[in-house]
Amino acid sequence: MSGKRNQRGVGLTDDMKQLSQKLAPTQPLPSRVASILSQEISSGRLKPGDRLPTEHQIAESLGISRNVVREAIAQLRADGLVRARQGAGAFVMEPEERLAIRLDPTDLENIEGMEGLFELRALLEGEAARLATMRRTDDDLAEISAALEDMRGDEKWSEGSIEADLVFHRAIAKATGNSYIHTFVCFICDQIRRSIHMARYANQIEQLVEVNVGEHVVILDALKAGDPEAARAAMVHHITEAGRRIGVILRNEQNNSQQGIAAS
Amino acid sequence: MSGKRNQRGVGLTDDMKQLSQKLAPTQPLPSRVASILSQEISSGRLKPGDRLPTEHQIAESLGISRNVVREAIAQLRADGLVRARQGAGAFVMEPEERLAIRLDPTDLENIEGMEGLFELRALLEGEAARLATMRRTDDDLAEISAALEDMRGDEKWSEGSIEADLVFHRAIAKATGNSYIHTFVCFICDQIRRSIHMARYANQIEQLVEVNVGEHVVILDALKAGDPEAARAAMVHHITEAGRRIGVILRNEQNNSQQGIAAS
DNA sequence: ATGATTATATTTGTCCTACAACCCTACAAC
DNA sequence: GTTGTAGGGTTGTAGGACAAATATAATCAT
């Protein structure tokens, strides 16, 4: 049944419906509505402090039930994007009030986005390697070593190998003893991994695995030797090279100018 | 206008915000349910791949409507915490599939949590200052300088001053030209700011403002001078000191051992 | 007995209605 | 001018109904 004829767009513009179709035809309805509203906010058409259209208006204007609209708004509320006050309405919150970081997947589909993310990753993981060198426990070291073994072990470069690669990086982040650093590093690595999977992945890597493994060995050696700056430099170098292998080129102002990198 | 005007009862606008947050006794019902479920997951009682109880079961077991349960699950779905398949159920996703970072506010109520966050902040912003020194445009520099002026300007230490402080840090992060760094720095700064507001804030700072401003001047000078490592060291030093002022003590392995810090 | 097919039950997705709680404005009363 | 009150509007919650998709059980053909 459908009285879902929405002649009059009450609160929302028409281009949204086109967007809703374009974004993801197969995503659940509430998520699509949430994307529409969130785009209205990030695009500036809805500024902080503004009140959203009422749930009734949104529902009628999109030809959907108020229930769906409420689920969509629940998602925005969880991100601190809007605050709903009973009886008053839903209001866009200040950017400083956001309590979640969510990366737009479309930003990662082009090279520039990946470059930015790789740079951030190099910063974070470089520092993580430095801290880990000073704070690691023996258990941490064992975990890191085991991951390295898995990398060059049985599976060789296949699916399991790239998983072991991630375990290696995560283990180092965990060895800093700082759960926030661990959380952020894991998040960024996963974002990158998924983007690579989506895009090209597994094109011509083949023999480069040995190079890749070699870079990890340098990191681990520096960690064992207890040389924080060397560990940091090795990690930055590795991530820079890993990016270059898939076409991401970082601006090489990267600090390694000072010293340390020649170490081994 | 606002000089020393606010005895009590007049400047209600700012007070009311704090009060509304502080004495909000109950979060909205769906959010509470989402917290419960999310805790079930992060605590490991629900492992990746497991199926959540049915919406009916959750609703009945908590004595609430299925509508509320659905809104709660909508929030989890938005974070990539669970995936709901029509006809089958809602399943916990792998940690690598998460597509949002959300910090648990309760983790920030104790000193250890704040220490971890301050350490991460020092890492990130230190590197941001270094990059900004190399990449800043003249517009960036103007923005940063303006923020510094606002800091020691009219309002002195009051509410506006701490806002200008944040603007200073955000402007530096933006001057890196990397939107991800900017996003992450903003997020972490806001988290810290809110936690301080909630907890103690504004206890005995008073004259320390001048010290605080002085630290910012050192950062800006290094930026102008084009000395990346000095800028980085100054930023790390500033954040370390800022943390110390509110009782957060960072482990001082902090690299600043090399040089640079004595500069100025 | 085994494999394929069809029922059947379960579960999520969407819609609907209704009412409670609350906010805001306006207006009346003091 | 301040306070109290009434009304309409908006979000919050409840509950029921059905559609759509899935999983499980039963049935049938081979």
Side-chain angles (χ1 to χ4, degrees), chain A residues 94-143:
Chain A
E94 301 290 331
E96 305 94 43
E97 309 281 345
R98 311 278 155 85
L99 26 76
I101 285 189
R102 159 168 296 116
L103 301 186
D104 187 356
T106 62
D107 285 351
L108 296 177
E109 289 170 1
N110 54 12
I111 287 296
E112 301 140 3
M114 282 298 267
E115 282 176 1
L117 201 53
F118 258 90
E119 179 170 77
L120 175 54
R121 185 191 171 194
L123 294 192
L124 258 178
E125 291 211 52
E127 292 290 312
R130 189 172 59 77
L131 290 177
T133 304
M134 298 183 288
R135 301 180 185 168
R136 65 170 181 80
T137 66
D138 289 343
D139 283 348
D140 291 326
L141 191 60
E143 201 171 337

Side-chain angles (χ1 to χ4, degrees), chain A residues 38-59:
Chain A
S38 132
Q39 210 156 0
E40 288 286 309
I41 292 174
S42 63
S43 77
R45 278 190 292 272
L46 284 173
K47 290 180 285 289
D50 286 357
R51 209 195 72 175
L52 269 63
T54 71
E55 295 172 350
H56 261 129
Q57 288 174 335
I58 298 177

Side-chain angles (χ1 to χ4, degrees), chain B residues 72-264:
Chain B
I73 291 183
Q75 298 182 16
L76 303 186
R77 225 177 25 197
D79 285 3
L81 228 60
V82 307
R83 177 205 297 299
R85 285 165 45 209
Q86 182 171 226
F91 299 85
V92 180
M93 294 179 72
E94 301 290 331
E96 305 94 43
E97 310 280 344
R98 313 276 156 86
L99 27 76
I101 285 188
R102 158 167 298 115
L103 300 186
D104 186 357
T106 63
D107 285 352
L108 296 178
E109 289 170 0
N110 53 11
I111 287 295
E112 301 139 4
M114 283 297 267
E115 281 176 1
L117 201 53
F118 258 91
E119 179 170 79
L120 175 54
R121 185 190 171 196
L123 295 192
L124 259 178
E125 290 211 51
E127 292 291 313
R130 187 173 60 76
L131 289 177
T133 303
M134 299 182 287
R135 300 180 187 168
R136 64 171 182 80
T137 66
D138 289 343
D139 284 347
D140 291 326
L141 191 59
E143 202 170 337
I144 298 169
S145 303
L148 184 53
E149 284 310 311
D150 287 349
M151 273 184 68
R152 54 180 164 191
D154 37 22
E155 312 240 0
K156 214 66 182 181
W157 87 293
S158 65
E159 185 70 25
S161 174
I162 144 174
E163 184 56 38
D165 192 321
L166 285 177
V167 172
F168 182 92
H169 287 268
R170 279 198 279 260
I172 287 185
K174 185 175 149 212
T176 63
N178 184 321
S179 64
Y180 294 106
I181 293 179
H182 183 234
T183 300
F184 277 66
V185 166
C186 287
F187 179 70
I188 293 176
C189 285
D190 292 332
Q191 296 289 322
I192 288 177
R193 182 176 86 117
R194 179 163 41 224
S195 299
I196 294 178
H197 261 267
M198 294 271 184
R200 36 237 183 292
Y201 162 58
N203 28 12
Q204 81 292 15
I205 314 185
E206 305 184 358
Q207 220 57 348
L208 295 185
V209 244
E210 297 183 2
V211 179
N212 188 43
V213 171
E215 289 168 8
H216 285 78
V217 171
V218 176
I219 298 173
L220 181 56
D221 285 345
L223 237 152
K224 284 180 183 167
D227 185 342
E229 279 306 320
R232 178 175 177 281
M235 177 65 87
V236 171
H237 175 254
H238 160 55
I239 293 178
T240 305
E241 287 300 303
R244 199 179 52 74
R245 270 174 229 133
I246 65 169
V248 173
I249 297 180
L250 298 185
R251 305 188 236 186
N252 56 358
E253 318 147 352
Q254 213 64 276
N255 64 333
N256 40 17
S257 55
Q258 34 201 46
Q259 83 270 14
I261 202 180
S264 154

Side-chain angles (χ1 to χ4, degrees), chain A residues 144-162:
Chain A
I144 298 169
S145 303
L148 184 54
E149 283 310 311
D150 287 349
M151 273 184 69
R152 54 181 164 192
D154 37 23
E155 312 240 1
K156 213 68 181 178
W157 87 292
S158 65
E159 185 69 26
S161 174
I162 145 175

Side-chain angles (χ1 to χ4, degrees), chain A:
Chain A
M1 51 163 55
S2 67
K4 9 176 110 175
R5 212 75 47 90
N6 49 340
Q7 331 258 30
R8 40 163 175 218
V10 180
L12 300 175
T13 54
D14 289 327
D15 29 325
M16 303 194 217
K17 294 158 198 167
Q18 303 173 2
L19 281 178
S20 75
Q21 292 174 355
K22 187 192 297 184
L23 276 186
T26 57
Q27 257 188 341
L29 197 44
S31 298
R32 273 184 288 170
V33 177
S35 293
I36 295 173
L37 293 175
S38 132
Q39 210 156 0
E40 288 286 309
I41 292 174
S42 63
S43 77
R45 278 190 292 272
L46 284 173
K47 290 180 285 289
D50 286 357
R51 209 195 72 175
L52 269 63
T54 71
E55 295 172 350
H56 261 129
Q57 288 174 335
I58 298 177
E60 192 176 357
S61 130
L62 294 179
I64 57 181
S65 136
R66 185 161 88 99
N67 230 322
V68 175
V69 177
R70 282 194 61 79
E71 283 185 34
I73 292 183
Q75 297 181 15
L76 303 187
R77 225 178 27 197
D79 285 2
L81 228 60
V82 307
R83 181 217 249 10
R85 285 164 46 210
Q86 181 171 238
F91 299 84
V92 180
M93 294 180 72
E94 301 290 331
E96 305 94 43
E97 309 281 345
R98 311 278 155 85
L99 26 76
I101 285 189
R102 159 168 296 116
L103 301 186
D104 187 356
T106 62
D107 285 351
L108 296 177
E109 289 170 1
N110 54 12
I111 287 296
E112 301 140 3
M114 282 298 267
E115 282 176 1
L117 201 53
F118 258 90
E119 179 170 77
L120 175 54
R121 185 191 171 194
L123 294 192
L124 258 178
E125 291 211 52
E127 292 290 312
R130 189 172 59 77
L131 290 177
T133 304
M134 298 183 288
R135 301 180 185 168
R136 65 170 181 80
T137 66
D138 289 343
D139 283 348
D140 291 326
L141 191 60
E143 201 171 337
I144 298 169
S145 303
L148 184 54
E149 283 310 311
D150 287 349
M151 273 184 69
R152 54 181 164 192
D154 37 23
E155 312 240 1
K156 213 68 181 178
W157 87 292
S158 65
E159 185 69 26
S161 174
I162 145 175
E163 184 56 38
D165 192 321
L166 284 177
V167 172
F168 181 92
H169 287 268
R170 279 197 278 260
I172 286 185
K174 186 175 147 213
T176 62
N178 185 320
S179 64
Y180 294 107
I181 293 180
H182 182 234
T183 301
F184 277 66
V185 166
C186 287
F187 180 70
I188 292 176
C189 285
D190 292 332
Q191 295 291 320
I192 288 178
R193 181 176 85 116
R194 180 162 43 222
S195 299
I196 293 179
H197 261 266
M198 297 269 184
R200 36 238 182 290
Y201 160 60
N203 28 12
Q204 82 293 14
I205 314 184
E206 303 185 357
Q207 221 57 348
L208 295 185
V209 245
E210 298 182 2
V211 179
N212 188 44
V213 170
E215 290 168 7
H216 285 78
V217 171
V218 176
I219 298 172
L220 180 57
D221 285 346
L223 237 153
K224 283 180 184 166
D227 185 341
E229 279 305 321
R232 179 176 177 282
M235 178 64 87
V236 171
H237 175 254
H238 160 54
I239 293 178
T240 304
E241 287 300 303
R244 199 180 51 74
R245 270 175 229 131
I246 65 168
V248 174
I249 297 180
L250 299 185
R251 305 187 234 186
N252 56 358
E253 319 147 352
Q254 214 62 273
N255 65 331
N256 39 16
S257 56
Q258 38 198 45
Q259 84 269 13
I261 200 181
S264 147

